[in-house]
Amino acid sequence: MFSIGDFARHGQVSVRMLRHYDAVGLLPPARVDPATGYRFYSAGQLARLNRIVALKELGFSLEQVGRMLEPGPRPGELRGMLALRRAELEQRLAADRARLTEVEARLRIIEKEGVMPEQDVVIKSVPAVRVARSSGVAAGFEPARISPVIQPLFEGLSDRLAQAVIAIAGPAIAYYEPADDGTVRVHACVPVNAEPGAVPDISIVDLPAHDRVATTVHHGDIGGIGAAWQELGRWVEDNGYRTAAPVREVTLEWTPDPNGWVTELQEPLAGR
Protein backbone atom coordinates (compact mmCIF):
# COMPACT_ATOMS: atom_id res chain seq x y z
CA MET A 1 0.00 0.00 0.00
CA PHE A 2 1.13 3.56 -0.67
CA SER A 3 0.62 6.67 1.39
CA ILE A 4 -1.20 9.41 -0.50
CA GLY A 5 2.14 11.22 -1.04
CA ASP A 6 3.87 8.16 -2.47
CA PHE A 7 0.87 7.33 -4.64
CA ALA A 8 0.83 10.91 -5.98
CA ARG A 9 4.54 10.60 -6.81
CA HIS A 10 4.09 7.29 -8.62
CA GLY A 11 1.03 8.58 -10.47
CA GLN A 12 2.64 11.96 -11.29
CA VAL A 13 -0.26 13.99 -9.91
CA SER A 14 -0.64 16.28 -6.92
CA VAL A 15 -1.89 15.20 -3.51
CA ARG A 16 -4.51 17.93 -3.81
CA MET A 17 -5.87 16.32 -6.99
CA LEU A 18 -6.03 12.88 -5.33
CA ARG A 19 -8.05 14.37 -2.48
CA HIS A 20 -10.36 16.00 -5.00
CA TYR A 21 -10.81 12.74 -6.93
CA ASP A 22 -11.71 11.09 -3.63
CA ALA A 23 -14.19 13.84 -2.75
CA VAL A 24 -16.07 13.48 -6.07
CA GLY A 25 -16.02 9.68 -5.88
CA LEU A 26 -13.69 9.09 -8.84
CA LEU A 27 -10.80 7.51 -6.98
CA PRO A 28 -11.41 6.73 -3.31
CA PRO A 29 -8.40 5.32 -1.43
CA ALA A 30 -8.13 1.57 -1.00
CA ARG A 31 -8.06 2.07 2.77
CA VAL A 32 -8.46 4.88 5.26
CA ASP A 33 -6.91 4.53 8.70
CA PRO A 34 -9.85 4.94 11.12
CA ALA A 35 -7.62 6.40 13.80
CA THR A 36 -5.62 8.93 11.80
CA GLY A 37 -7.73 9.41 8.67
CA TYR A 38 -4.67 8.80 6.53
CA ARG A 39 -5.44 7.60 3.00
CA PHE A 40 -3.67 4.60 1.49
CA TYR A 41 -3.73 3.46 -2.14
CA SER A 42 -2.83 0.23 -3.90
CA ALA A 43 -0.64 -0.13 -7.00
CA GLY A 44 -3.64 -1.53 -8.87
CA GLN A 45 -5.33 1.89 -8.59
CA LEU A 46 -2.69 3.46 -10.82
CA ALA A 47 -4.52 2.07 -13.88
CA ARG A 48 -7.69 3.93 -12.93
CA LEU A 49 -5.70 7.08 -12.15
CA ASN A 50 -4.08 6.92 -15.62
CA ARG A 51 -7.52 6.76 -17.24
CA ILE A 52 -8.84 9.67 -15.21
CA VAL A 53 -5.89 11.87 -16.18
CA ALA A 54 -6.02 10.79 -19.83
CA LEU A 55 -9.74 11.50 -20.13
CA LYS A 56 -9.32 14.88 -18.44
CA GLU A 57 -6.64 15.74 -21.00
CA LEU A 58 -9.08 14.79 -23.71
CA GLY A 59 -11.25 17.63 -22.47
CA PHE A 60 -13.92 15.68 -20.59
CA SER A 61 -15.36 16.97 -17.32
CA LEU A 62 -14.85 14.91 -14.17
CA GLU A 63 -18.54 14.04 -14.24
CA GLN A 64 -18.17 12.71 -17.77
CA VAL A 65 -15.00 10.86 -16.77
CA GLY A 66 -16.88 9.14 -13.99
CA ARG A 67 -19.56 7.93 -16.39
CA MET A 68 -16.98 6.74 -18.90
CA LEU A 69 -15.06 4.75 -16.32
CA GLU A 70 -18.07 2.62 -15.54
CA PRO A 71 -17.36 0.01 -16.85
CA GLY A 72 -14.53 1.97 -18.50
CA PRO A 73 -13.09 2.10 -22.00
CA ARG A 74 -10.90 -0.75 -23.15
CA PRO A 75 -7.19 0.10 -23.61
CA GLY A 76 -7.52 0.09 -27.40
CA GLU A 77 -10.43 2.52 -27.27
CA LEU A 78 -8.58 4.79 -24.88
CA ARG A 79 -5.50 4.82 -27.12
CA GLY A 80 -7.72 5.79 -30.03
CA MET A 81 -9.27 8.65 -28.04
CA LEU A 82 -5.83 9.88 -26.99
CA ALA A 83 -4.59 9.74 -30.59
CA LEU A 84 -7.61 11.80 -31.68
CA ARG A 85 -6.98 14.36 -28.96
CA ARG A 86 -3.30 14.54 -29.91
CA ALA A 87 -4.23 15.21 -33.53
CA GLU A 88 -6.62 17.98 -32.43
CA LEU A 89 -3.92 19.59 -30.29
CA GLU A 90 -1.36 19.39 -33.10
CA GLN A 91 -3.83 21.02 -35.46
CA ARG A 92 -4.51 23.77 -32.92
CA LEU A 93 -0.78 24.35 -32.42
CA ALA A 94 -0.25 24.56 -36.19
CA ALA A 95 -3.07 27.09 -36.46
CA ASP A 96 -1.62 29.12 -33.59
CA ARG A 97 1.83 29.09 -35.22
CA ALA A 98 0.29 30.27 -38.49
CA ARG A 99 -1.54 33.08 -36.69
CA LEU A 100 1.67 34.09 -34.91
CA THR A 101 3.49 34.23 -38.24
CA GLU A 102 0.75 36.46 -39.66
CA VAL A 103 0.87 38.76 -36.63
CA GLU A 104 4.66 39.08 -36.92
CA ALA A 105 4.37 39.86 -40.64
CA ARG A 106 1.68 42.48 -39.94
CA LEU A 107 3.83 44.05 -37.22
CA ARG A 108 6.74 44.32 -39.67
CA ILE A 109 4.42 46.11 -42.10
CA ILE A 110 3.25 48.51 -39.36
CA GLU A 111 6.85 49.24 -38.33
CA LYS A 112 7.64 50.29 -41.92
CA GLU A 113 4.75 52.76 -42.16
CA GLY A 114 6.08 56.24 -42.88
CA VAL A 115 9.51 54.85 -43.75
CA MET A 116 10.98 55.21 -47.24
CA PRO A 117 9.94 52.11 -49.24
CA GLU A 118 12.65 49.50 -49.72
CA GLN A 119 11.07 47.99 -52.81
CA ASP A 120 12.45 48.89 -56.24
CA VAL A 121 9.57 49.06 -58.72
CA VAL A 122 10.14 48.45 -62.42
CA ILE A 123 7.55 48.85 -65.16
CA LYS A 124 7.88 46.32 -67.97
CA SER A 125 5.85 44.34 -70.46
CA VAL A 126 5.00 40.70 -69.86
CA PRO A 127 4.49 38.34 -72.82
CA ALA A 128 1.70 35.80 -73.07
CA VAL A 129 2.63 32.44 -71.62
CA ARG A 130 1.14 29.00 -72.04
CA VAL A 131 0.74 27.22 -68.73
CA ALA A 132 -0.57 24.07 -67.17
CA ARG A 133 -2.97 25.25 -64.48
CA SER A 134 -4.52 23.75 -61.38
CA SER A 135 -7.09 25.71 -59.38
CA GLY A 136 -8.71 25.65 -55.96
CA VAL A 137 -10.63 27.85 -53.53
CA ALA A 138 -9.28 29.56 -50.40
CA ALA A 139 -11.42 31.18 -47.72
CA GLY A 140 -9.52 34.48 -47.93
CA PHE A 141 -6.28 36.23 -48.86
CA GLU A 142 -4.53 35.53 -45.54
CA PRO A 143 -1.33 33.49 -46.03
CA ALA A 144 -2.67 30.89 -43.58
CA ARG A 145 -5.63 30.36 -45.92
CA ILE A 146 -3.77 30.58 -49.24
CA SER A 147 -0.75 28.37 -48.47
CA PRO A 148 -2.67 25.16 -47.56
CA VAL A 149 -4.51 25.47 -50.88
CA ILE A 150 -1.79 26.47 -53.32
CA GLN A 151 1.02 24.21 -52.11
CA PRO A 152 -0.88 20.95 -52.81
CA LEU A 153 -2.00 22.42 -56.16
CA PHE A 154 1.61 22.91 -57.27
CA GLU A 155 2.65 19.49 -55.95
CA GLY A 156 -0.23 17.73 -57.71
CA LEU A 157 0.37 19.65 -60.93
CA SER A 158 4.06 18.70 -60.94
CA ASP A 159 3.22 15.04 -60.38
CA ARG A 160 0.62 14.95 -63.18
CA LEU A 161 2.97 16.64 -65.64
CA ALA A 162 5.73 14.17 -64.79
CA GLN A 163 3.35 11.26 -65.40
CA ALA A 164 2.34 12.81 -68.75
CA VAL A 165 6.03 13.36 -69.64
CA ILE A 166 5.47 17.11 -70.11
CA ALA A 167 8.45 19.26 -69.12
CA ILE A 168 8.07 22.44 -67.09
CA ALA A 169 9.37 25.27 -69.29
CA GLY A 170 9.71 28.17 -66.86
CA PRO A 171 9.19 29.55 -63.36
CA ALA A 172 6.00 28.80 -61.44
CA ILE A 173 3.23 31.41 -61.49
CA ALA A 174 0.44 31.93 -58.96
CA TYR A 175 -2.49 34.28 -59.34
CA TYR A 176 -5.64 34.91 -57.37
CA GLU A 177 -9.17 36.03 -58.23
CA PRO A 178 -11.60 37.22 -55.51
CA ALA A 179 -15.14 35.86 -55.70
CA ASP A 180 -18.38 37.64 -54.78
CA ASP A 181 -18.85 35.37 -51.77
CA GLY A 182 -15.55 36.47 -50.21
CA THR A 183 -13.58 33.39 -51.19
CA VAL A 184 -10.53 33.46 -53.44
CA ARG A 185 -9.99 31.40 -56.57
CA VAL A 186 -6.37 30.24 -56.36
CA HIS A 187 -4.49 29.29 -59.53
CA ALA A 188 -1.18 27.40 -59.59
CA CYS A 189 0.51 27.50 -63.02
CA VAL A 190 3.72 26.34 -64.66
CA PRO A 191 4.80 27.18 -68.23
CA VAL A 192 4.68 24.24 -70.67
CA ASN A 193 5.13 23.57 -74.37
CA ALA A 194 1.95 21.59 -74.97
CA GLU A 195 -1.36 21.99 -76.76
CA PRO A 196 -4.61 22.52 -74.84
CA GLY A 197 -6.32 19.19 -74.37
CA ALA A 198 -3.07 17.27 -74.81
CA VAL A 199 -3.62 15.64 -71.42
CA PRO A 200 -7.25 15.08 -70.35
CA ASP A 201 -6.79 15.82 -66.64
CA ILE A 202 -4.56 18.89 -67.04
CA SER A 203 -5.89 22.36 -67.92
CA ILE A 204 -3.56 24.05 -70.42
CA VAL A 205 -4.34 27.72 -71.02
CA ASP A 206 -2.68 30.91 -72.27
CA LEU A 207 -2.15 33.67 -69.73
CA PRO A 208 -2.49 37.00 -71.54
CA ALA A 209 0.30 39.45 -72.29
CA HIS A 210 0.36 42.86 -70.57
CA ASP A 211 2.02 46.00 -71.96
CA ARG A 212 2.55 47.69 -68.61
CA VAL A 213 3.21 45.76 -65.44
CA ALA A 214 4.57 47.18 -62.19
CA THR A 215 7.01 44.64 -60.77
CA THR A 216 9.06 44.27 -57.63
CA VAL A 217 11.03 41.41 -56.10
CA HIS A 218 10.50 39.80 -52.71
CA HIS A 219 13.31 37.79 -51.11
CA GLY A 220 12.50 35.12 -48.53
CA ASP A 221 9.58 33.18 -47.14
CA ILE A 222 6.28 33.82 -48.89
CA GLY A 223 4.77 34.43 -45.46
CA GLY A 224 6.41 37.86 -45.44
CA ILE A 225 5.31 38.88 -48.91
CA GLY A 226 2.48 41.07 -47.63
CA ALA A 227 4.78 44.04 -46.98
CA ALA A 228 6.08 43.92 -50.55
CA TRP A 229 2.53 43.79 -51.94
CA GLN A 230 1.48 46.77 -49.82
CA GLU A 231 4.46 48.84 -50.92
CA LEU A 232 3.76 47.96 -54.55
CA GLY A 233 0.11 48.95 -54.08
CA ARG A 234 1.13 52.32 -52.64
CA TRP A 235 3.49 52.88 -55.55
CA VAL A 236 0.71 52.12 -58.05
CA GLU A 237 -1.63 54.64 -56.40
CA ASP A 238 1.04 57.30 -55.82
CA ASN A 239 1.93 57.20 -59.52
CA GLY A 240 -1.64 57.53 -60.73
CA TYR A 241 -2.19 53.99 -61.96
CA ARG A 242 -4.80 51.40 -61.15
CA THR A 243 -4.69 47.61 -61.32
CA ALA A 244 -5.88 46.23 -64.67
CA ALA A 245 -5.93 42.45 -64.18
CA PRO A 246 -5.25 39.74 -61.61
CA VAL A 247 -1.83 40.17 -60.09
CA ARG A 248 0.74 37.38 -60.33
CA GLU A 249 3.50 35.94 -58.16
CA VAL A 250 6.34 34.42 -60.19
CA THR A 251 8.82 32.17 -58.39
CA LEU A 252 12.21 33.16 -59.79
CA GLU A 253 14.19 30.99 -57.36
CA TRP A 254 13.06 28.13 -55.12
CA THR A 255 15.20 26.42 -52.48
CA PRO A 256 14.40 23.87 -49.76
CA ASP A 257 14.96 26.71 -47.28
CA PRO A 258 12.16 29.28 -47.73
CA ASN A 259 14.58 32.06 -46.80
CA GLY A 260 16.23 31.51 -50.18
CA TRP A 261 13.07 32.03 -52.24
CA VAL A 262 12.95 34.88 -54.76
CA THR A 263 9.49 35.94 -55.95
CA GLU A 264 8.59 38.60 -58.50
CA LEU A 265 5.33 40.44 -57.88
CA GLN A 266 3.55 41.53 -61.05
CA GLU A 267 0.70 44.05 -61.02
CA PRO A 268 -0.73 44.88 -64.49
CA LEU A 269 -1.51 48.57 -64.87
CA ALA A 270 -4.29 50.63 -66.46
CA GLY A 271 -3.94 54.34 -67.55
CA ARG A 272 -2.85 57.22 -65.39
Side-chain angles (χ1 to χ4, degrees):
M1 300 287 284
F2 298 107
S3 68
I4 190 170
D6 285 339
F7 188 73
R9 177 170 53 83
H10 283 288
Q12 297 182 304
V13 296
S14 68
V15 169
R16 181 183 61 83
M17 288 308 302
L18 287 178
R19 287 176 177 150
H20 183 59
Y21 294 158
D22 180 17
V24 298
L26 269 180
L27 186 62
R31 184 173 70 84
V32 178
D33 188 300
T36 63
Y38 290 164
R39 297 172 173 88
F40 294 92
Y41 294 82
S42 69
Q45 290 180 286
L46 287 169
R48 185 175 177 88
L49 175 62
N50 289 334
R51 282 158 174 74
I52 293 170
V53 174
L55 291 169
K56 268 190 61 187
E57 291 300 315
L58 282 169
F60 296 107
S61 68
L62 290 181
E63 182 181 355
Q64 292 171 320
V65 170
R67 291 199 301 268
M68 295 176 70
L69 288 177
E70 301 300 338
R74 292 185 294 274
E77 293 174 330
L78 190 55
R79 281 195 298 271
M81 295 167 68
L82 286 169
L84 178 61
R85 178 60 173 165
R86 180 179 62 187
E88 291 173 348
L89 290 173
E90 289 174 347
Q91 186 176 23
R92 185 185 303 170
L93 286 171
D96 287 343
R97 283 194 294 267
R99 280 193 292 271
L100 179 59
T101 299
E102 287 188 26
V103 169
E104 290 173 345
R106 193 69 62 173
L107 285 173
R108 287 195 295 270
I109 293 173
I110 292 170
E111 289 167 356
K112 291 181 179 180
E113 290 177 354
V115 178
M116 185 69 68
E118 299 177 357
Q119 303 297 131
D120 292 325
V121 178
V122 175
I123 294 181
K124 66 181 182 181
S125 62
V126 173
V129 57
R130 176 159 292 179
V131 298
R133 182 179 66 187
S134 184
S135 304
V137 176
F141 278 107
E142 299 92 337
R145 298 182 185 274
I146 294 289
S147 294
V149 176
I150 200 162
Q151 290 175 0
L153 289 177
F154 273 121
E155 292 169 2
L157 186 58
S158 177
D159 290 343
R160 292 198 297 274
L161 289 173
Q163 292 169 5
V165 197
I166 294 178
I168 295 174
I173 301 169
Y175 70 98
Y176 315 96
E177 297 177 300
D180 292 338
D181 63 358
T183 60
V184 180
R185 188 71 174 168
V186 178
H187 304 281
C189 310
V190 292
V192 294
N193 295 315
E195 294 299 317
V199 182
D201 62 342
I202 296 179
S203 174
I204 297 178
V205 299
D206 292 322
L207 298 184
H210 295 288
D211 293 332
R212 284 184 301 178
V213 178
T215 67
T216 190
V217 175
H218 169 71
H219 296 266
D221 189 341
I222 208 75
I225 205 169
W229 271 121
Q230 289 199 14
E231 288 187 11
L232 184 58
R234 291 191 185 97
W235 184 95
V236 169
E237 182 178 280
D238 290 346
N239 286 272
Y241 291 106
R242 58 186 175 82
T243 303
V247 299
R248 301 176 187 174
E249 294 172 354
V250 181
T251 303
L252 301 180
E253 292 184 27
W254 185 91
T255 63
D257 180 3
N259 291 322
W261 295 355
V262 179
T263 308
E264 184 178 72
L265 285 56
Q266 299 181 349
E267 187 152 355
L269 302 174
R272 293 178 113 155

